[in-house]
């Protein structure tokens, strides 16, 4: 099977690796996003999948068009005569002329039709779902609206956060795409019921803003979903880098240091309390929560910020 693969982050890299290792698959082209400036020095940095491919000296042609909506992009891909185009977190919607080249199969990290869109894993965690999963689907011009070919799912454990689920679902997607491709002629695509669909937006920095006037459990949920970026932070700019639920019972005042323990600082919320372990003030390095309150000369009964 001649495959054009489209993907950008680590999630896609795991899937590409599985295709490259499978003797039935020949990846003839990687299409990924352009290199982008990163950090304060704006260092031009390749996407994860490109960096991985170059690091392992794998001889797959890399194509980084600014847009797929050009005649050049269409000709580039069409002349390769792929049997399939496989897409995983590429970052662009495929136009009609690309979709017409070969069957386009997307590996979307949700159990469709739930969480169509840009942040399915984070949204699954934010909604406190019991299960997470991956759907292989035929692509069409709509956003994650195509007919479904297969599923893989897992039960979300209390310790799971977004990076853990990204890794687990990438492994699941890698297995799923091999099964989907090998059985493609026998599959009967299942149309989505749009009435059951939910949509998720692209995560923004402001989504990480939390307050001790919320419940402790809601802050923990947001922390798990939004780690490592944008993380969770207070309106003062103080980042809560490492925390866990200490209690979920009633509290009378929020934001108060309830207890100082060897492993961190217990702070009350509107309901329940958090154990804060690592904090990062604005323009400073991350620090142990105990060092933070010592520097601020705070003690039990004081307001944290």
């Amino acid at each position: 099977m001649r495959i054009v693969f489209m993907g950008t982050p680590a999630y896609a890299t795991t899937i590409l690796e599985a295709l490259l290792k499978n003797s039935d698959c020949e990846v003839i082209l990687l299409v990924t996003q352009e290199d982008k400036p990163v950090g304060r020095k704006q260092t031009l940095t390749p996407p994860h999948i490109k960096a991985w491919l170059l690091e392992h000296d794998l001889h797959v042609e890399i194509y980084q068009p600014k847009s797929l909506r050009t005649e050049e992009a269409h000709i580039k891909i069409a002349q390769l005569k792929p049997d399939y185009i496989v897409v995983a977190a590429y970052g662009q919607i495929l136009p009609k002329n690309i979709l017409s080249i070969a069957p386009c199969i997307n590996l979307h990290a949700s159990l469709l039709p739930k969480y169509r869109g840009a942040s399915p894993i984070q949204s699954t965690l934010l909604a406190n779902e019991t299960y997470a999963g991956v759907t292989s689907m035929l692509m069409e011009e709509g956003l994650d609206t195509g007919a479904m070919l297969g599923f893989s799912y897992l039960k979300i454990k209390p310790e799971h956060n977004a990076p853990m689920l990204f890794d687990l679902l990438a492994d699941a997607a890698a297995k799923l795409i091999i099964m989907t491709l090998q059985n493609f002629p026998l599959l009967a695509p299942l149309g989505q019921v749009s009435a059951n669909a939910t949509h998720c937006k692209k995560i923004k920095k402001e989504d990480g803003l939390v307050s001790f006037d919320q419940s402790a459990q809601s802050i923990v949920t947001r922390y798990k979903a939004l780690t490592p970026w944008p993380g969770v932070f207070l309106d003062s700019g103080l980042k809560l880098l490492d925390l866990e639920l200490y209690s979920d019972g009633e509290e009378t005042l929020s934001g108060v240091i309830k207890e100082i323990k060897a492993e961190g600082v217990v702070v009350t919320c509107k309901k329940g309390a958090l154990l804060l372990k690592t904090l990062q003030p604005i323009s400073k390095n991350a620090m142990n929560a105990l060092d933070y309150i010592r520097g601020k000369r705070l003690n039990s009964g004081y307001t944290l910020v």
Side-chain angles (χ1 to χ4, degrees):
M1 293 178 280
R2 291 169 57 81
I3 296 168
V4 168
F5 186 82
M6 299 183 179
T8 300
Y11 170 81
T13 303
T14 300
I15 299 165
L16 174 61
E17 184 177 3
L19 291 171
L20 290 170
K21 288 179 177 178
N22 189 279
S23 59
D24 293 333
C25 302
E26 180 189 4
V27 179
I28 53 177
L29 181 70
L30 167 65
V31 183
T32 189
Q33 295 285 349
E34 296 179 296
D35 296 2
K36 293 182 179 179
V38 173
R40 291 182 181 179
K41 295 184 179 180
Q42 294 291 278
T43 305
L44 198 62
T45 305
H48 186 281
I49 197 167
K50 176 185 175 182
W52 178 85
L53 203 62
L54 295 175
E55 179 186 346
H56 289 80
D57 196 27
L58 297 169
H59 301 291
V60 176
E61 183 182 357
I62 300 170
Y63 181 45
Q64 297 175 273
K66 185 170 186 175
S67 171
L68 290 176
R69 298 181 182 277
T70 64
E71 187 63 22
E72 176 198 292
H74 177 259
I75 292 172
K76 173 74 174 176
I77 296 169
Q79 69 183 2
L80 294 173
K81 297 184 176 4
D83 297 307
Y84 300 98
I85 297 173
V86 175
V87 182
Y90 170 53
Q92 290 187 33
I93 295 176
L94 273 59
K96 188 175 182 178
N97 64 345
I98 299 295
L99 293 170
S100 66
I101 294 172
C104 296
I105 302 171
N106 184 28
L107 293 153
H108 186 70
S110 81
L111 296 171
L112 290 170
K114 278 191 170 183
Y115 308 118
R116 296 173 177 173
S119 57
I121 292 176
Q122 296 95 327
S123 298
T124 296
L125 286 168
L126 286 170
N128 287 306
E129 294 281 4
T130 302
Y131 294 95
V134 178
T135 306
S136 62
M137 53 167 284
L138 287 171
M139 298 182 72
E140 55 184 31
E141 288 186 88
L143 180 62
D144 302 322
T145 57
M148 301 173 292
L149 301 169
F151 301 92
S152 181
Y153 69 96
L154 58 87
K155 190 167 185 177
I156 300 173
K157 296 180 180 179
E159 65 271 21
H160 283 161
N161 58 22
M164 291 177 187
L165 277 189
F166 268 102
D167 289 344
L168 289 169
L169 293 179
D171 289 339
K175 294 181 179 71
L176 180 60
I177 188 56
I178 299 300
M179 292 176 61
T180 299
L181 291 171
Q182 289 177 338
N183 294 284
F184 187 82
L186 305 174
L187 297 177
L190 177 65
Q192 296 186 43
V193 179
S194 292
N196 296 334
T198 57
H199 298 264
C200 52
K201 62 179 183 177
K202 185 176 181 179
I203 299 296
K204 298 179 180 178
K205 184 176 180 180
E206 54 264 33
D207 292 325
L209 179 63
V210 296
S211 165
F212 293 128
D213 288 328
Q214 299 170 240
S215 72
Q217 183 60 66
S218 69
I219 295 173
V220 170
T221 297
R222 190 158 289 267
Y223 165 73
K224 289 179 179 178
L226 301 182
T227 295
W229 191 90
V232 292
F233 51 88
L234 305 175
D235 57 9
S236 66
L238 182 67
K239 294 180 181 179
L240 314 181
L241 295 183
D242 190 8
L243 60 83
E244 63 183 50
L245 184 68
Y246 183 77
S247 68
D248 59 1
E250 296 295 332
E251 300 291 345
T252 55
L253 295 172
S254 57
V256 174
I257 298 173
K258 181 178 182 178
E259 191 176 348
I260 299 172
K261 301 174 71 68
E263 61 267 37
V265 180
V266 179
V267 178
T268 62
C269 298
K270 182 178 181 180
K271 181 182 179 184
L274 296 171
L275 177 63
L276 304 181
K277 299 179 179 180
T278 308
L279 304 172
Q280 185 177 10
I282 292 177
S283 301
K284 293 186 178 180
N285 294 327
M287 63 177 67
N288 185 290
L290 296 174
D291 293 334
Y292 176 81
I293 65 167
R294 289 189 192 110
K296 292 283 188 179
R297 297 184 178 180
L298 300 174
N299 214 322
S300 295
Y302 285 63
T303 301
L304 181 67
V305 289

